[in-house]
Amino acid sequence: MQFEEFESFASDTPVAARAPAADAASPLVRLQYLIDNTPAIIYCTVPSGDFKMTFVSNNAYNVLGYRPEDMVADPNFWFDHIHPDDAPAIFSSLALVFVEGQRAYEYRFRAADGAYLWMHDTLRLIRDEQGAPLEVIGSLTDITIRKNMEEALHSKGQEQQLLIGRLQEAQNQLLQSEKMASIGQLAAGIAHEINNPVGFVNSNMGTLQKYVATLFGVVREYDAAIAGHSPPPALSSRIAQIGKSADLAFLQDDATDLIRESMDGLKRVKDIVQALKDFSHVGETEWQVADLHHGLDSTLNIVSNEIKYKATVDKQYGQIPQVTCLASQLNQVFMNLLVNAGHAIKEKGVITIRTGAEDGWVWVAISDTGCGIAQEHVNRIFEPFFTTKPVGSGTGLGLSLSYGIVNKHGGRIDVASTPGEGTTFTVRLPVLPPGAGAQG
């Protein structure tokens, strides 16, 4: 087959206008017609490193806007028109054509109007009878529409994955909120049940304290009456022996101490029960004006067992106004931050709680002298399920849930941390959240 015969057929006349009559067309003319009208550009190159084009089918003008003779005349035409981002991968593997015999690529190729089209290129090595490379034949097909559709589908898939992730995050936060609400209801129920027996025990202890004081008063009066009537020596000796055996002096001091300690213990139980009730706020769905200091103190009572063995709490409360909020939800935020602060301290440390207000905002800063947060983790700590704690030690939802609650209040959480020195979380809240009356 002589390429020059093909080339002599080319002209400025559009390809479709040169369709030969079926009965008059020779096989060669018919073949030329088919090549010129196929969607794929057929080309040949030399089987050497520069891959100079030796033939390009006429339909290159229809697809790319270049005349075949111009493409053949420029020895670097193919290389120079591949997108710079795609060229390295192609150039580094072209030699494999001579090993494998055939290679296929997808890359962007610059058309005459300057736009890049996605092309599918199949290269095949042709050898002569002795096995020596003769030429490389290629087929270029415009796949821009397919690539655009793939990119659109990929973008749509990414959007769907993002939406699914957000839905999962919302579901997990909802489940966590429902769990916290259930815990709050349970805590309130337990507090109510404890409150009843504590109430009558406390009342009984108060009465017992009076009875014991009366009994020891009677004993003292008896001693005074006996001493004033000079009883017989045998009776005096017997009374003294009974008093010594019973150790009345010790009993009086110790009974008084026991009752006082029991009364103090009952007061602590009452404080914890009240803290449980304040913390849970069962049924709270309305925004209300609340004292954040009261919420912090209630939360400290709840988490006391988590932090009292590892940290002392330094309360540096400032002057702050009451805040319109969902108090129980903010208590959950404070609880998460205080528990995390306790976990960050390995041996002994200090947790500092500071509060203040300015320009219609209040802030609560909770600092610890713990291990701190690595810089690469700081930007991820509010992600759902992200945790630096060992497996089984945390769900990774605490800070995510806290972030959502504070955001719901129109506020924000800032974090500052230095590894090895400690971390400070600062919750900033508007005194009157925007649209608080319409939320809930």
Side-chain angles (χ1 to χ4, degrees):
M1 182 179 298
Q2 299 297 317
F3 292 143
E4 56 268 21
E5 294 184 46
F6 283 11
E7 293 167 0
S8 66
F9 190 81
S11 71
D12 291 340
T13 307
V15 173
R18 301 196 302 272
D23 55 351
S26 68
L28 186 60
V29 172
R30 181 65 175 169
L31 178 60
Q32 177 73 56
Y33 169 76
L34 293 175
I35 292 176
D36 288 346
N37 286 279
T38 185
I41 300 171
I42 307 300
Y43 69 91
C44 300
T45 72
V46 296
S48 60
D50 57 7
F51 278 79
K52 178 185 180 302
M53 290 180 168
T54 58
F55 169 79
V56 179
S57 58
N58 291 327
N59 59 345
Y61 184 80
N62 298 334
V63 177
L64 297 172
Y66 299 115
R67 295 193 175 280
E69 56 268 27
D70 295 335
M71 298 174 70
V72 172
D74 183 355
N76 296 315
F77 188 90
W78 185 58
F79 283 173
D80 290 345
H81 286 71
I82 297 175
H83 194 286
D85 292 344
D86 301 333
I90 297 173
F91 298 163
S92 63
S93 63
L94 269 178
L96 293 175
V97 173
F98 299 95
V99 177
E100 299 173 358
Q102 183 169 311
R103 295 284 293 175
Y105 299 100
E106 290 185 356
Y107 55 85
R108 288 160 291 182
F109 196 85
R110 189 174 73 250
D113 61 2
Y116 279 96
L117 302 179
W118 274 101
M119 309 298 291
H120 179 89
D121 192 359
T122 301
L123 297 87
R124 185 179 179 188
L125 177 67
I126 305 299
R127 298 181 182 274
D128 61 17
E129 295 178 354
Q130 287 73 38
L134 184 62
E135 63 180 342
V136 175
I137 297 177
S139 171
L140 269 176
T141 306
D142 183 357
I143 58 169
T144 304
I145 294 177
R146 191 198 85 192
K147 279 291 187 178
N148 290 340
M149 290 179 63
E150 289 177 355
E151 184 176 351
L153 287 172
H154 180 68
S155 299
K156 198 70 175 176
Q158 287 183 322
E159 291 177 6
Q160 290 176 342
Q161 289 298 320
L162 181 62
L163 180 59
I164 290 171
R166 288 177 177 173
L167 287 173
Q168 288 177 337
E169 177 182 347
Q171 181 187 30
N172 289 323
Q173 290 192 350
L174 179 60
L175 290 173
Q176 186 75 354
S177 296
E178 290 177 349
K179 182 172 71 173
M180 292 300 295
S182 298
I183 292 173
Q185 290 179 338
L186 178 63
I190 293 173
H192 179 72
E193 292 300 321
I194 292 175
N195 211 33
N196 289 333
V198 167
F200 68 72
V201 170
N202 189 64
S203 176
N204 290 348
M205 287 298 295
T207 303
L208 179 61
Q209 188 177 32
K210 295 177 183 177
Y211 289 171
V212 169
T214 300
L215 285 174
F216 281 113
V218 170
V219 171
R220 286 194 299 272
E221 291 294 330
Y222 282 164
D223 287 343
I226 292 171
H229 289 80
S230 301
L235 180 58
S236 296
S237 176
R238 177 61 177 160
I239 292 172
Q241 184 180 4
I242 292 173
K244 183 178 180 181
S245 175
D247 200 354
L248 284 177
F250 171 78
L251 286 179
Q252 182 174 355
D253 291 340
D254 199 42
T256 302
D257 290 342
L258 288 174
I259 292 174
R260 185 182 66 253
E261 291 173 2
S262 297
M263 295 289 284
D264 289 343
L266 286 169
K267 183 179 182 304
R268 289 183 60 190
V269 172
K270 287 179 64 179
D271 290 343
I272 292 172
V273 169
Q274 186 60 46
L276 280 172
K277 293 172 69 176
D278 291 342
F279 182 83
S280 61
H281 285 274
V282 176
E284 177 191 284
T285 58
E286 300 292 334
W287 291 71
Q288 57 187 275
V289 177
D291 181 355
L292 295 188
H293 289 164
H294 184 69
L296 283 165
D297 289 339
S298 297
T299 306
L300 279 169
N301 275 328
I302 299 299
V303 302
S304 173
N305 195 61
E306 286 278 347
I307 61 180
K308 66 181 180 181
Y309 299 109
K310 295 197 298 182
T312 56
V313 177
D314 180 15
K315 294 193 293 186
Q316 301 177 12
Y317 291 172
Q319 295 293 324
I320 63 173
Q322 293 190 327
V323 175
T324 301
C325 63
L326 296 171
S328 66
Q329 294 191 15
L330 288 183
N331 287 343
Q332 292 176 28
V333 174
F334 299 148
M335 181 182 70
N336 288 332
L337 296 181
L338 287 167
V339 169
N340 283 351
H343 289 171
I345 297 172
K346 302 304 181 185
E347 299 294 336
K348 293 291 292 184
V350 178
I351 296 174
T352 304
I353 306 174
R354 296 178 294 111
T355 63
E358 57 183 353
D359 300 329
W361 288 71
V362 298
W363 53 268
V364 177
I366 298 177
S367 306
D368 64 69
T369 56
C371 58
I373 304 171
Q375 190 60 42
E376 63 268 23
H377 295 154
V378 170
N379 293 331
R380 299 191 59 196
I381 57 177
F382 295 113
E383 294 179 11
F385 305 111
F386 178 80
T387 179
T388 57
K389 296 177 182 177
V391 176
S393 298
T395 63
L397 284 174
L399 286 177
S400 173
L401 182 63
S402 298
Y403 181 88
I405 291 172
V406 173
N407 188 62
K408 182 179 181 180
H409 283 73
R412 69 178 191 269
I413 301 181
D414 299 326
V415 57
S417 185
T418 302
E421 295 184 13
T423 302
T424 298
F425 283 93
T426 304
V427 178
R428 303 182 189 276
L429 300 166
V431 174
L432 182 63
Q439 300 181 46

